[in-house]
Amino acid sequence: MTDTCPNCLTRGIKPRAERRDPHQTRSAYRCPHCGHAWITSRIPDAYRPTA
């Protein structure tokens, strides 16, 4: 999954590292444009299609 830099709004940034468990995926990012670093935590169920 990619993300958008919250500092300069550069889109499509790929995570530098990810850690997954059954309840969440944590991703670490660093923007190649401005150097800003951030971490996201996503709940996998929120990204599954519904019937």
Side-chain angles (χ1 to χ4, degrees):
M1 181 169 289
T2 63
D3 204 356
T4 300
C5 177
N7 187 54
C8 71
L9 303 179
T10 298
R11 298 178 140 224
I13 299 171
K14 294 182 180 180
R16 295 179 65 190
E18 284 192 326
R19 185 182 326 167
R20 296 175 189 219
D21 67 37
H23 306 289
Q24 67 180 346
T25 299
R26 294 183 54 93
S27 304
Y29 296 88
R30 181 171 302 275
C31 180
H33 180 75
C34 72
H36 184 73
W38 71 99
I39 295 173
T40 63
S41 181
R42 293 184 169 98
I43 300 169
D45 289 341
Y47 293 89
R48 291 194 178 113
T50 59

